[in-house]
Amino acid sequence: MSGSSPAARLQRLFEGQRLTPTQRRIAHSMVRRAADAPFLSSVELAELAGVSQPSVTRFAVALGFDGYPALRKHLRETTPPAGSAGEGSGAEEELNEYQQAVQAEIENLRQLSELLADPAPVERAGRLLAGSRPLLVLGLRAASSQARGFGYFAAKVHPDVRVLDEGGSMLHDRVDAARRAGASALMCFALPRHPREVVDALAYAREQGLTVVTVADSAFAPVAAHSDLLIPGAVGTGLAFDTACAPMLLGRVLLEAMCDGLPEAQARLEAFDARAAARGLFVE
């Protein structure tokens, strides 16, 4: 994320703070609406985050301000002039709810693009994933499709990928088995609502010596405390069910970075293409 973007400035403000789950939700909401944050009233922010107005006040105090007005004043003083940043445009008001959901996802992808201006975290993650034999990929409930998709493509270039997309008593057993086989890293996709099993599984994986790389909806997600490297990709919340375009794209970016750490990746892909053509696997 570029250092001058509104979202980046908010992230720096929140970094290192010990926030409660409710306060993390407020922080996440502010980052998602970074351009509007300096102009939101405490009531508007409370409604946006789905919390009470006193929670917003306690959040501001936790950050070291006298109250929410002082926090908002600070944000306004540190935000470059950008015209009517707090006012919705007429064009936006004319969009229907489906178009608004698409526009929100476009904004999420824009923020992801800013985040990737610094490629170092993704490159580090790629090396960690490429070096793990086997490689564990975890994603439960809402994140299970992200884990399966990542695992499907990763298996084309990585020699041993094990997808964990079901919870239950066997989850820790499968982590143990992978660790005994030589695994050094676990790739986790964590999306709201965050299952307790995922948090417990990550804590256990780290206890066993695995390095945890996580794609989550926010840097303040509950899994952050149990991740060695967390890269956020915001989800859209405008529809009845969350949309996860940014986390999905981030997964593909991590696959690309992992391929860069696997010298045999291109040869494996070419071998797969040859086998697929011989079997007539795909219809051209």
Side-chain angles (χ1 to χ4, degrees):
M1 186 176 298
S2 63
S4 60
S5 73
R9 288 192 294 273
L10 282 171
Q11 290 277 20
R12 287 196 297 271
L13 178 63
F14 302 145
E15 280 175 0
Q17 302 288 343
R18 297 181 63 84
L19 302 176
T20 68
T22 296
Q23 290 165 354
R24 288 198 299 268
R25 181 187 299 180
I26 297 170
H28 176 46
S29 298
M30 292 183 73
V31 171
R32 287 186 63 248
R33 292 283 298 276
D36 298 331
F39 308 95
L40 296 173
S41 69
S42 60
V43 173
E44 291 170 331
L45 180 56
E47 291 178 353
L48 183 65
V51 303
S52 67
Q53 188 176 4
S55 293
V56 173
T57 300
R58 289 192 291 270
F59 168 72
V61 172
L63 294 177
F65 297 93
D66 292 337
Y68 182 71
L71 169 59
R72 188 169 64 172
K73 180 175 183 291
H74 170 78
L75 295 178
R76 289 180 175 180
E77 289 174 346
T78 56
T79 299
S84 55
E87 300 175 2
S89 67
E92 279 188 0
E93 293 174 358
E94 294 174 2
L95 298 179
N96 63 42
E97 62 178 313
Y98 311 122
Q99 292 175 299
Q100 290 173 18
V102 172
Q103 290 299 319
E105 284 292 57
I106 291 173
E107 174 61 19
N108 289 341
L109 292 174
R110 186 193 65 77
Q111 291 185 15
L112 178 59
S113 176
E114 292 179 353
L115 176 75
L116 295 175
D118 177 9
V122 166
E123 291 171 349
R124 179 189 170 207
R127 292 191 296 270
L128 290 169
L129 302 180
S132 183
R133 303 284 196 284
L135 171 62
L136 286 173
V137 183
L138 171 66
L140 302 183
R141 294 187 180 267
S144 61
S145 61
Q146 306 291 335
R148 286 195 297 270
F150 184 94
Y152 172 79
F153 290 111
K156 295 183 183 300
V157 294
H158 192 289
D160 190 353
V161 178
R162 305 184 187 185
V163 176
L164 309 177
D165 59 356
E166 294 183 0
S169 61
M170 292 291 292
L171 189 55
H172 285 195
D173 293 346
R174 296 180 67 188
V175 170
D176 286 339
R179 188 70 178 109
R180 289 195 300 271
S184 59
L186 181 149
M187 174 76 231
C188 174
F189 289 88
L191 300 177
R193 302 171 63 183
H194 294 276
R196 185 178 301 278
E197 277 186 300
V198 171
V199 177
D200 293 343
L202 294 189
Y204 183 76
R206 293 182 81 196
E207 287 175 4
Q208 304 312 306
L210 291 174
T211 299
V212 173
V213 176
T214 300
V215 168
D217 58 299
S218 165
F220 312 104
V223 294
H226 305 290
S227 303
D228 296 285
L229 176 59
L230 187 148
I231 307 175
V235 301
T237 58
L239 302 177
F241 300 101
D242 291 347
T243 50
C245 295
M248 182 182 70
L249 179 54
L250 185 50
R252 298 300 187 267
V253 168
L254 287 170
L255 280 168
E256 184 76 10
M258 186 182 75
C259 286
D260 291 340
L262 292 168
E264 68 275 22
Q266 187 59 39
R268 287 179 178 273
L269 286 173
E270 291 174 0
F272 172 80
D273 286 341
R275 291 194 301 271
R279 295 165 56 194
L281 191 58
F282 301 110
V283 178
E284 299 296 337

